[in-house]
Amino acid sequence: MTAMSTPGGAPRSVVVVGAGMVGLSTAWFLRRAGLEVTVLEQDHVAAGSSWGNAGWLTPPITTPLPEPTILRSGIAALVSPASPVYVPLRPDLELLRFLLGFVRHSTHTAWRRAMSAYIPLNRRALAAFDLLADGGVTEPTVRTEDFLACYRHPGQRRGLLAELEAIRAAGQPVNADLLDGAELRALAPALTAKVTAGIRLAGTRFIDPPRYMLALADAVLASGVMLREGTRVVAVDGGSATRPALVRTRPTRPVGGPSEHEAPPARPATARGTRAAGEEILRADAVILATGAWLGDLARPFGVQTVVQAGRGYSFSIPVDPMPTMPLYFPVQRVACTPLGDRYRVAGMMEFRRPGDPLDPRRIRAIVDATRPLLAGDLDDRVDEWVGSRPVTPDGLPLIGPTSAPRVIAAGGHGMWGITLGPLTGQLVAELVTSGDVPPELWPFDPLR
């Protein structure tokens, strides 16, 4: 599959729109290939879902979100603010279109087809993090063989065990052990006595998302990339085979920090890059759209008709004593926990709302109520309450590859897996730009499908 061609030889300049995990990783790999790269971000580094997520790097369980069991709770549960998956009732044709597509793909056949597309990415995902580390990203990925999924009752494990078996049947190795409550508490004493059964999953890592994203931004800047925060892309002219793409920008006032609503942590001044002084038009041989839940805004004019719906997740951090040294997952409650410094990040929920809607305190309370019986942490001593928008597609597959414009490439729609797959996405997009051919791993993710 041919992606693009540039008169006079290979592309030399690229504009990347978006400074989350996917955008910054793409910029790093493009710069490593010798291209001139500019990253444009309307807010701050990691301003979407890259800051407040659980930070899991879990290729063994990176799977399509639409699957049959997600619909078994019924419509009544989906419209409850206390439900792990929440769909507020409102008149929204785009949301309805997304939901109909999501339901259509929540079948065993569709899941198996989508899973076969993920497997080649999952095999290479962690190696891409190692390339970033070798290239100057100083924040480590933490290896752990004790990723623990925890349950109140042994029978509750059946759902995840069935999914793991389906993953193996699709051709992806999974190494998992069954543990009882005593074995789980020996590894994570903060688990309460109500946790009686679990699954230990090998082959995973985790990161501290805020620290990792700042380290990645520093490495991108050190490589010679120009990073402009507070710069909004208002229009893209896709160019042609003989004419470069044009990107029209406008400076914005920062509208929050790493989420729609929270200020970013302190960071070195060098990581801020250069803000545009006024409206400007940039020319580039290629433009990469890595804008997460906002991907459709810029990609739709270039033939990308797949709905990208914000699947909003919530998180906060609490003190836990003794602090677990590994991630804990409560699958029934859909709550994910990760050690971050001296506190424990608690994250969860999937909420299909507009990305700019305010944080809903009911969703924070739902996570607290779900977690309190299982984890001996002070859930009332919460800091960094956050909501961020994951970019979810109806078929559960990202949109990565060339659009109808010869110089515009989409790179988004990863759902819950933008952290795990972000660096590899950047590596493959850089290969696409420099070679002019779409790597085989990206063929299932055609943005024009």
Side-chain angles (χ1 to χ4, degrees):
M1 297 176 66
T2 299
M4 56 178 290
S5 61
T6 302
R12 293 184 295 272
S13 62
V14 181
V15 168
V16 178
V17 187
M21 178 67 89
V22 174
L24 290 180
S25 297
T26 301
W28 189 89
F29 280 103
L30 286 167
R31 183 61 187 153
R32 182 180 184 231
L35 280 69
E36 297 177 8
V37 184
T38 300
V39 177
L40 305 176
E41 167 57 51
Q42 69 174 356
D43 195 343
H44 295 278
V45 164
S49 58
S50 293
W51 185 84
N53 63 85
W56 292 358
L57 311 182
T58 52
I61 55 171
T62 295
T63 61
L65 181 60
E67 42 94 11
T69 61
I70 207 166
L71 302 177
R72 291 176 187 166
S73 56
I75 299 300
L78 295 179
V79 299
S80 167
S83 172
V85 180
Y86 175 42
V87 183
L89 292 175
R90 68 174 192 271
D92 187 329
L93 292 178
E94 194 85 340
L95 176 60
L96 177 61
R97 188 173 150 227
F98 166 78
L99 291 173
L100 290 174
F102 192 90
V103 170
R104 190 170 65 253
H105 287 93
S106 294
T107 67
H108 292 289
T109 299
W111 186 92
R112 286 192 293 267
R113 184 169 56 248
M115 188 65 219
S116 67
Y118 271 111
I119 290 174
L121 300 186
N122 293 343
R123 288 175 180 152
R124 297 179 56 185
L126 296 180
F129 280 90
D130 295 335
L131 288 175
L132 291 176
D134 293 342
V137 177
T138 56
E139 181 66 18
T141 63
V142 182
R143 300 171 185 264
T144 176
E145 296 300 311
D146 291 327
F147 177 100
L148 304 179
C150 306
Y151 301 86
R152 284 191 176 209
H153 310 294
Q156 293 177 328
R157 294 185 293 200
R158 286 195 294 265
L160 182 55
L161 288 173
E163 182 177 359
L164 296 180
E165 189 55 39
I167 293 170
R168 292 189 188 98
Q172 179 168 296
V174 181
N175 185 2
D177 301 317
L178 300 185
L179 304 179
D180 62 24
E183 292 170 315
L184 290 166
R185 277 182 289 281
L187 296 168
L191 290 169
T192 72
K194 292 184 182 296
V195 176
T196 68
I199 300 172
R200 176 169 56 189
L201 187 67
T204 71
R205 306 185 197 178
F206 64 91
I207 60 171
D208 181 323
R211 292 177 62 90
Y212 191 90
M213 293 306 302
L214 296 183
L216 177 57
D218 286 344
V220 164
L221 284 162
S223 73
V225 171
M226 179 174 290
L227 171 59
R228 294 184 173 180
E229 294 175 299
T231 302
R232 178 170 175 256
V233 173
V234 296
V236 176
D237 178 338
S240 68
T242 58
R243 182 170 56 83
L246 304 178
V247 180
R248 186 157 63 91
T249 72
R250 184 176 299 153
T252 63
R253 295 186 62 182
V255 292
S259 74
E260 291 96 55
H261 311 292
E262 298 296 331
R267 57 192 274 220
T270 55
R272 289 203 173 275
T274 305
R275 274 193 66 189
E279 188 164 302
E280 184 179 3
I281 294 178
L282 304 179
R283 291 170 172 79
D285 293 327
V287 178
I288 314 301
L289 305 180
T291 51
W294 294 266
L295 181 65
D297 295 347
L298 292 176
R300 195 170 294 112
F302 304 109
V304 180
Q305 300 303 311
T306 298
V307 177
V308 179
Q309 170 65 43
R312 305 199 324 160
Y314 287 74
S315 72
F316 51 82
S317 296
I318 60 171
V320 177
D321 187 19
M323 170 75 82
T325 59
M326 76 289 289
L328 297 177
Y329 180 32
F330 303 112
V332 173
Q333 296 75 18
R334 295 186 183 270
V335 172
C337 306
T338 311
L340 269 68
D342 61 351
R343 295 180 77 89
Y344 210 46
R345 173 167 285 178
V346 180
M349 303 295 170
M350 177 66 74
E351 176 186 75
F352 294 128
R353 297 178 70 168
R354 298 182 182 93
D357 284 354
L359 180 148
D360 186 343
R362 298 174 300 175
R363 304 297 279 159
I364 296 289
R365 288 196 298 271
I367 298 175
V368 170
D369 292 343
T371 307
R372 197 184 298 275
L374 307 173
L375 184 67
D378 187 352
L379 285 147
D380 296 320
D381 183 9
R382 299 188 298 274
V383 298
D384 297 329
E385 291 188 351
W386 172 91
V387 61
S389 297
R390 314 175 188 98
V392 182
T393 62
D395 62 4
L397 298 177
L399 304 166
I400 313 171
T403 68
S404 62
R407 300 177 182 275
V408 178
I409 295 167
H414 292 77
M416 298 189 300
W417 310 120
I419 296 298
T420 296
L421 298 179
L424 178 58
T425 297
Q427 183 181 359
L428 293 171
V429 169
E431 181 181 333
L432 184 162
V433 172
T434 55
S435 72
D437 294 324
V438 179
E441 294 93 335
L442 297 184
W443 291 354
F445 310 118
D446 182 359
L448 304 180
R449 63 180 183 270

